[in-house]
Amino acid sequence: TPSIVLVTTSLAVKLETRSKMRRIQQLLNAKGVDYEHVDLALEDRGDEIASKTGRREVPQLLVNGRFIGTAEDVQEFEDEGALDGMLGLM
């Protein structure tokens, strides 16, 4: 089973950011995958995550330590039918 990490923050002010975080969470939950939820407002892991992904924006999805993308990327992979394979569902 792949290690899946969803990086968010509960301190997001922008409605658009909160919506994107919620959308990825709902997508992962609907697929029934187990994932670690890292809330950068509660865990001081921002530098660690940024060093892996090269980005500081949220949400971010990582699988087996590899940066998969932001909300737009994840939705694009889902639309193309590639996300299930990345999440180990195929």
Side-chain angles (χ1 to χ4, degrees):
T1 325
S3 164
I4 301 169
V5 178
L6 175 61
V7 181
T8 66
T9 179
S10 55
L11 294 180
V13 176
K14 292 170 115 182
L15 179 60
E16 179 184 9
T17 302
R18 291 196 317 257
S19 176
K20 289 176 181 180
M21 290 186 299
R22 193 169 35 254
R23 188 169 61 233
I24 290 185
Q25 282 182 294
Q26 290 171 341
L27 182 59
L28 294 175
N29 292 338
K31 291 183 175 293
V33 297
D34 291 326
Y35 62 93
E36 176 187 1
H37 182 193
V38 175
D39 183 339
L40 296 179
L42 304 175
E43 298 181 52
D44 187 19
R45 293 179 61 188
D47 290 339
E48 170 197 341
I49 301 293
S51 72
K52 289 180 183 178
T53 67
R55 299 176 184 226
R56 291 200 170 269
E57 66 191 281
V58 291
Q60 294 184 33
L61 186 66
L62 294 92
V63 177
N64 293 329
R66 192 177 119 230
F67 176 60
I68 298 301
T70 60
E72 292 83 4
D73 303 317
V74 172
Q75 187 61 57
E76 188 173 317
F77 289 131
E78 172 67 0
D79 293 346
E80 294 171 351
L83 187 59
D84 285 0
M86 293 175 172
L87 299 176
L89 298 175
M90 300 179 83

